[in-house]
Amino acid sequence: MSAPEGEPPVYGVVVPTIGRPCLRQCLQALDRSTGPRPREVVVVDDRPGEPAPLEVPPVDGRPVRVLRSAGRGPAAARNTGLRALDTPWVVFLDDDVRVGEDWAERLAADLSAAGPRTGGVQGVLRVPLPADRAPTDWERGTAGLEGAAWATADMAYRAEALRQTGGFDERFPRAFREDADLALRVLDAGWELCRGTRRTLHPVRPADRWVSVRAQRGNADDALMRRLHGPGWWERAGAPRGRLRRHLAVTGAGVLAALSALTGRRGSAALAGAVWALGTAEFAWARLRPGPWTREEAVTMLATSAVIPPLAVRHRIEGHLRHRHAPAWEAVS
């Protein structure tokens, strides 16, 4: 169902959250944006257990409905919001974004321009980076969202397309690959996806030294993507290939060096150890070279570059074993 000719498209907004303080700023920016208002805004609290109720500001003078998804991940949280809405369009926003001042006006234009087989329209993400220094490895990674395809930090989907394809696959437990998986299923179902003109700011969130190490858990999600969409899913989803093959070679060299040393084969141990050291140094240098040249960044890159390759391989193997028989995602009721 579409809006009558001449009337703005009808849409609802779903914001999954784990209760971060940035949620308030996200909703306040949405409230300030000019243009046709959402029929309803739904915040889905994905904190596990029985946390204290969220305090959320109103949008357009109306209370925001808060639902619970019990810590099952952003895919499940978005499905929870989807089920609660009956609007023709559903716009997903992450809780750490801030829509532009004319976002609602541009969104209406994006949706009005959508053809009958347009299943989704992506917003334009901008990641502010420091002006006085080179960005860190973490900041560069976040800035990659600007070129990401179908990122649900700001993504509008036609509700019909979502229900036809089953919504988000809840087997993706993190904010990683669940958006690419959905986009590929929507495209496979015969819908089109396009980029709109609305603009949304995605600040770099604070992170500790080990955030890149924890991010390696996403390799298990890549295994699920391969199972569901085949080995060529990278190209179809517009996703970077990553360094898994190099990580596998470096990890293999490290294992071989340790085994050779334990069995007294000094020559093999030295050769394999040199390969491991060179591979680790190359990885650290690739991350260090763009800057910034600070002591903290250097220590972080050196420490994490040694542990990332084996962890990436471990998570990929675990993901392969866990998902090797995964069937296609079933429609959510």
Side-chain angles (χ1 to χ4, degrees):
M1 181 181 68
S2 58
E5 187 174 353
E7 294 187 12
V10 178
Y11 69 98
V13 175
V14 174
V15 185
T17 186
I18 53 174
R20 295 183 294 193
C22 55
L23 172 64
R24 174 172 289 273
Q25 296 173 326
C26 172
L27 295 176
Q28 289 173 337
L30 180 61
D31 182 54
R32 290 192 299 267
S33 67
T34 59
R37 312 311 298 164
R39 175 180 289 177
E40 186 174 11
V41 177
V42 176
V43 167
V44 184
D45 183 354
D46 195 45
R47 293 176 296 172
E50 296 293 334
L54 283 177
E55 295 184 6
V56 297
V59 173
D60 200 30
R62 294 174 295 170
V64 170
R65 182 155 45 141
V66 179
L67 304 176
R68 294 287 314 283
S69 55
R72 293 183 292 129
R78 294 189 187 104
N79 283 342
T80 299
L82 169 63
R83 296 187 191 99
L85 292 175
D86 61 356
T87 52
W89 290 93
V90 180
V91 183
F92 297 100
L93 296 175
D94 284 352
D95 69 353
D96 55 353
V97 304
R98 301 172 196 168
V99 301
E101 292 184 357
D102 60 350
W103 180 87
E105 181 179 346
R106 286 176 175 261
L107 171 68
D110 289 345
L111 302 186
S112 295
R117 294 305 299 171
T118 299
V121 186
Q122 180 178 354
V124 178
L125 296 177
R126 290 290 178 260
V127 179
L129 296 175
D132 58 343
R133 61 166 173 80
T136 64
D137 179 71
W138 171 243
E139 290 166 342
R140 290 192 301 272
T142 304
L145 287 171
E146 292 189 347
W150 329 129
T152 40
D154 180 357
M155 185 72 189
Y157 271 108
R158 199 182 292 272
E160 180 185 354
L162 291 174
R163 295 192 171 95
Q164 180 183 341
T165 55
F168 290 88
D169 188 333
E170 298 179 13
R171 293 170 296 186
F172 290 92
R174 288 165 284 275
F176 190 70
R177 304 302 191 208
E178 84 291 354
D179 46 8
D181 166 72
L182 174 61
L184 292 182
R185 285 188 284 113
V186 169
L187 291 170
D188 288 342
W191 296 92
E192 301 171 354
L193 299 175
C194 65
R195 295 178 183 269
T197 63
R198 64 191 187 279
R199 295 166 296 190
T200 296
L201 196 68
H202 192 302
V204 180
R205 70 175 185 268
D208 61 40
R209 173 168 292 167
W210 305 104
V211 63
S212 60
V213 174
R214 293 191 298 273
Q216 300 313 307
R217 291 177 290 189
N219 282 281
D221 304 316
D222 284 348
L224 179 56
M225 287 292 290
R226 182 184 176 90
R227 166 63 184 170
L228 297 174
H229 302 287
W233 74 267
W234 302 89
E235 291 81 7
R236 294 186 59 217
R241 183 65 190 226
R243 296 177 63 104
L244 183 64
R245 292 179 180 177
R246 295 188 185 186
H247 290 338
L248 182 59
V250 170
T251 302
V255 171
L256 180 59
L259 292 176
S260 296
L262 288 173
T263 56
R265 292 180 293 175
R266 295 182 179 179
S268 296
L271 179 59
V275 172
W276 174 86
L278 286 173
T280 301
E282 184 276 331
F283 181 40
W285 175 245
R287 302 170 72 205
L288 269 171
R289 186 177 61 248
W293 288 92
T294 64
R295 181 180 181 277
E296 181 179 1
E297 182 73 354
V299 170
T300 298
M301 294 300 98
L302 291 173
T304 57
S305 294
V307 298
I308 283 176
L311 280 177
V313 172
R314 170 193 162 187
H315 287 301
R316 183 54 181 266
I317 293 173
E318 290 178 346
H320 172 73
L321 295 174
R322 184 183 314 127
H323 301 303
R324 64 187 183 278
H325 300 305
W329 177 245
E330 295 290 337
V332 292
S333 59

